[in-house]
Amino acid sequence: MLWACIALPQLALDGVLRRRADAGPLVLVAGTGHARSIVAANAAAREAGLRVGQRLSAAQALLAQFEALPYQPERVDQWHRFLAAVAYRYSAEVSLLPHAIVLEVSRSLNLFGSWPRLESLLRADLDALGFRHRISAAPTPHAAHVLAGVADGQAVLTDEQLRHALQRIPLAQSRLPAAAAEALPGMGIRTLGQLLALPRDGLRRRFGAELLLALDRLTGAAPAGLEAYRPPDRFDLRIELTHEVEAIGALVFPLRRMTSDLSAYLAGRDGGVQRFTLQLEHREGHTEVKVGLLAPEREAGMLFELARARLEQVQLPQPVIAMRLLARDLPAFVPAGRDLFDERPANALPIEQLRERLRARLGDRAVHQLGSTTDPRPELAQKVTAHDDGWQEPSPRPTWLFERPIPLRGAAPRILAGPERLETGWWDGGEVCRDYYVVETAQGQRGWAFCAPGERDGWMLHGWFA
Amino acid sequence: MAAVMPLSNLLDARRVWRGRAEPLPAGEQPTGWAALDAVLPSGGWPAAALSEILLPLDGVGELQLVLPTLARLSQGARAVVLVAPPYLPCVAGWRQHGVDMRRIEIVSATEADVLWATEQCLRSGSCAAVLAWPRQADDRALRRLQVAADGGRALAFAFRDRQHLSNASPAALRLELEARPQARVWVRKCRGGALPAQPVALPRALH
């Protein structure tokens, strides 16, 4: 077993900062009234002297201009779960620990390569999503959690190395039950190595079974006892904008974040999305923008481009204060394969993406194919479909067909072929009884025209042999 | 400098030489019309470029000219796109010319979006040929199509009225169709070769 731990030291702050383009001083505050104090501060704020734990009033005395946002625990929880969904891409065993995610990766290494490679993949994902992180690996999840708390990038791959690595960990960073971690240094026990060397009976008498269980979980002598994370079957992401937005252009930056989050989430589930909804929330009510695709997709750039094209057609009735992305049905995603001997240029846009791009601007029905039906009536002989049976019509058919026949005026045309009598449709009210001819007009155009059976008059033109 | 020097002396001394166009690689995109291929410098359509087809009227054989090419391309991996065709393509008629209709994508677009859609299709690189009937295309618009066709390695066909013949065009090839007294094709411009003096007859079969 090998567990990776992703510690998220600034989850609350990153969740807020990642959707901002500017980087002015910003703090998160918790508490009420005069007791409001800082729980997180970004780099610009720390530079100005603001610290975590400081009263908001003290901070205001230090710095005139900074942004103070309320700390929202439920939002932090939402990001925590979102990142677990992203990590689910790399392992089927993912669990949540306080401010951290652990995932079992020993089997994932077969697919992704060695641990350093997997580690760099995880880091690339988290960097792209804008979350600061510390990553470590150890044979037990709790040990990985402890190691990630001590330093970034530690990898302990065997039990032997683990015993060795735990020796020097100070008790203050060992994440053991608080009562024991506080009392033991007073007894001269300062590192995990010293603690593990003590007789277990004595520890049980003094600190109860809780400490022993925690130690056993750390070393792997007891099962980790973690609840496995399961990604939800729907994606729901809502972000509040910092100010009221009246122009669509200002929604593009948050939209890019949201669609790339959706893409990361879909990659974690190995799924795609075929329909999603953007809700633009106003002070009263909201505007819905529906985005539909022909086939499930999950590529971030494509989702963004399509959502943007739909968004740009929207007229805002009121300013937008928040945006929400909802995806309910998440079907399986089948990536498009590419042939080794593909004749397309290397940077070609796949035809599916081209279709989506055209549909996004020209309308859902803008791109179609025609196929034939078994009906002999020219008006009904073809329809919009992807299916085509390949039936060969023995009589001449034009290459351009009119949607409805038009009268052929002027001098009587020269007849080149015909007649071909079509007499059908009496069963459904659309009865047709016509003699079709191939004709040539005085200008040299070749047409497909018909007149009433047996007559050579009252020509109706139905298509061109172009 | 009163002495008159015969040109042949200069040519022999290699001080003057005759310019000649670089011969184009032949036969990548044959039109399917042997007589036309014979007079075109690349032995067919200019690859990855815009070809303009100018017509006096609809129904004079303009599709017949390109259908052998479309039939060949529809057997390949890349799609053939018709952007806002003036009439419905008749499935039975196209199939009689050997076109696989499953590879033909039809895009409906308003007049304002035709050039945009054509350019997107050409640029994408996943279309073998794109046919368009632009009505309000100026020199700049056609140049964009020409550049997009080059970028996406696609054949671009623009069908336009014969009245545009007097305007300059950035297309690599311009063909004019004539219906009377018989169906003929005039090559009005071709990149990389001399203009043939005579038109090419277009034998018109019903299917």
Side-chain angles (χ1 to χ4, degrees):
Chain A
M1 298 282 264
L2 183 67
W3 289 79
C5 175
I6 306 167
L8 303 157
Q10 300 202 3
L11 192 53
L13 195 58
D14 287 339
V16 175
L17 288 178
R18 63 195 296 273
R19 57 183 155 91
R20 286 169 178 261
D22 56 335
L26 182 143
V27 296
L28 298 181
V29 292
T32 50
H34 289 295
R36 276 192 294 174
S37 59
I38 296 178
V39 291
N42 72 349
R46 283 199 303 272
E47 212 164 279
L50 307 193
R51 283 176 292 104
V52 171
Q54 215 168 27
R55 287 280 170 91
L56 185 59
S57 48
Q60 277 159 344
L62 276 171
L63 186 63
Q65 280 290 327
F66 65 89
E67 217 171 326
L69 296 176
Y71 170 78
Q72 292 164 303
E74 70 281 356
R75 198 52 60 78
V76 176
D77 188 54
Q78 184 194 329
W79 286 123
H80 200 177
R81 293 188 162 275
F82 166 70
L83 289 175
V86 173
Y88 197 70
R89 174 184 192 175
Y90 295 101
S91 170
E93 267 181 82
V94 176
S95 296
L96 302 174
L97 286 175
H99 299 287
I101 295 161
V102 286
L103 53 153
E104 207 286 308
V105 292
S106 60
R107 275 158 297 195
S108 315
L109 296 183
N110 293 334
L111 178 61
F112 294 102
S114 62
W115 165 248
R117 166 135 181 72
L118 179 58
E119 185 187 355
S120 65
L121 286 175
L122 284 170
R123 284 187 197 277
D125 270 7
L126 290 163
D127 283 337
L129 292 170
F131 285 95
R132 263 160 289 181
H133 51 271
R134 290 202 296 262
I135 294 182
S136 66
T140 67
H142 292 282
H145 191 202
V146 168
L147 290 175
V150 174
D152 191 13
Q154 295 199 70
V156 174
L157 303 180
T158 65
D159 286 336
E160 196 53 44
Q161 286 176 341
L162 177 65
R163 282 208 163 268
H164 190 72
L166 290 179
Q167 294 289 324
R168 292 185 313 274
I169 306 272
L171 282 188
Q173 291 176 312
S174 65
R175 302 188 196 272
L176 288 177
E182 279 166 23
L184 282 165
M187 304 171 195
I189 310 296
R190 294 200 162 72
T191 65
L192 268 179
Q194 289 170 317
L195 182 60
L196 287 169
L198 290 179
R200 295 170 61 92
D201 280 351
L203 284 178
R204 180 181 293 119
R205 272 201 302 279
R206 214 177 270 272
F207 297 104
E210 197 194 354
L211 176 65
L212 285 182
L213 181 62
L215 280 176
D216 285 346
R217 284 179 170 173
L218 205 55
T219 57
L226 294 174
E227 197 183 324
Y229 167 81
R230 287 276 164 266
D233 283 335
R234 60 202 288 269
F235 181 84
D236 183 353
L237 180 64
R238 179 176 180 276
I239 56 176
E240 275 170 29
L241 305 169
T242 47
H243 52 273
E244 298 197 353
V245 168
E246 291 179 31
I248 289 287
L251 296 175
V252 168
F253 181 77
L255 178 67
R256 187 189 291 275
R257 268 289 183 210
M258 292 177 103
T259 48
S260 65
D261 285 357
L262 174 60
S263 164
Y265 170 78
L266 292 172
R269 282 183 102 247
D270 193 23
V273 65
Q274 193 155 9
R275 263 186 296 283
F276 59 92
T277 310
L278 279 175
Q279 282 184 4
L280 309 176
E281 296 180 14
H282 312 298
R283 292 222 171 277
E284 283 164 22
H286 62 259
T287 308
E288 278 206 352
V289 183
K290 287 194 188 321
V291 184
L293 293 91
L294 290 173
E297 289 290 346
R298 70 162 176 237
E299 205 263 312
M302 180 178 178
L303 293 177
F304 169 66
E305 197 189 322
L306 294 175
R308 182 183 178 170
R310 302 276 160 135
L311 192 62
E312 278 169 351
Q313 293 168 359
V314 172
Q315 293 289 327
L316 289 181
Q318 290 176 48
V320 181
I321 56 169
M323 192 153 69
R324 186 171 177 191
L325 199 162
L326 268 170
R328 283 210 181 77
D329 46 275
L330 305 169
F333 173 69
V334 183
R338 261 195 85 167
D339 197 345
L340 180 61
F341 301 104
D342 203 331
E343 60 190 51
R344 295 178 300 169
N347 56 351
L349 183 75
I351 185 80
E352 295 78 19
Q353 291 197 20
L354 175 66
R355 271 195 212 117
E356 299 293 357
R357 182 180 287 181
L358 294 170
R359 271 162 36 97
R361 171 147 164 184
L362 305 175
D364 282 345
R365 297 171 169 278
V367 187
H368 56 269
Q369 295 183 336
L370 289 176
S372 54
T373 66
T374 50
D375 201 306
R377 284 170 284 185
E379 291 91 339
L380 301 172
Q382 60 185 46
K383 64 172 198 258
V384 173
T385 172
H387 168 77
D388 191 49
D389 58 4
W391 157 252
Q392 277 288 356
E393 173 69 46
S395 317
R397 284 288 177 272
T399 44
W400 284 141
L401 191 69
F402 299 169
E403 279 189 51
R404 56 179 62 86
I406 54 168
L408 178 62
R409 307 203 188 280
R414 191 159 70 90
I415 293 171
L416 300 178
E420 176 199 353
R421 178 157 301 179
L422 283 184
E423 187 167 3
T424 181
W426 45 267
W427 59 85
D428 63 1
E431 189 173 352
V432 160
C433 186
R434 301 163 177 170
D435 277 353
Y436 274 93
Y437 298 87
V438 181
V439 298
E440 188 172 81
T441 66
Q443 291 82 28
Q445 298 161 287
R446 292 207 174 165
W448 198 44
F450 66 84
C451 41
E455 291 176 29
R456 296 283 176 92
D457 203 9
W459 292 99
M460 296 292 282
L461 190 62
H462 207 165
W464 291 124
F465 285 85
Chain B
M1 280 293 285
V4 177
M5 236 175 149
L7 189 60
S8 58
N9 287 4
L10 287 171
L11 282 173
D12 290 345
R14 300 278 165 110
R15 292 173 67 188
V16 171
W17 60 94
R18 288 201 171 94
R20 196 177 300 139
E22 186 97 340
L24 291 175
E28 265 188 35
Q29 297 284 359
T31 62
W33 298 95
L36 188 59
D37 285 348
V39 300
L40 291 176
S42 52
W45 304 112
L50 174 67
S51 303
E52 211 180 329
I53 295 166
L54 300 155
L55 338 158
L57 291 159
D58 287 330
V60 294
E62 66 273 23
L63 282 182
Q64 211 186 335
L65 190 60
V66 296
L67 277 169
T69 313
L70 300 189
R72 173 170 59 80
L73 294 175
S74 72
Q75 307 302 322
R78 297 200 288 169
V80 172
V81 183
L82 313 183
V83 182
Y87 309 101
L88 287 176
C90 179
V91 174
W94 283 53
R95 201 179 292 129
Q96 286 171 354
H97 286 272
V99 179
D100 181 354
M101 290 307 281
R102 288 168 299 185
R103 310 291 315 162
I104 308 287
E105 305 272 348
I106 300 154
V107 178
S108 359
T110 58
E111 190 57 39
D113 283 324
V114 163
L115 287 169
W116 175 82
T118 313
E119 193 184 335
Q120 291 295 325
C121 295
L122 284 171
R123 198 180 291 282
S124 74
S126 52
C127 304
V130 182
L131 282 67
W133 288 260
R135 248 169 266 158
Q136 299 156 355
D138 55 3
D139 178 57
R140 268 182 62 179
L142 291 180
R143 191 172 302 280
R144 286 187 71 107
L145 297 188
Q146 164 68 37
V147 170
D150 186 39
R153 314 297 306 157
L155 290 181
F157 294 103
F159 295 87
R160 304 174 79 202
D161 192 275
R162 195 174 56 181
Q163 71 185 38
H164 295 289
L165 182 61
S166 53
N167 305 331
S169 162
L173 176 69
R174 296 186 96 182
L175 299 179
E176 186 194 348
L177 274 177
E178 200 178 58
R180 284 275 144 196
Q182 53 159 325
R184 296 189 299 185
V185 183
W186 287 90
V187 182
R188 294 301 186 189
K189 174 188 174 185
C190 58
R191 205 158 59 185
L195 284 182
Q198 294 298 315
V200 177
L202 186 68
R204 299 197 64 183
L206 291 180
H207 61 94

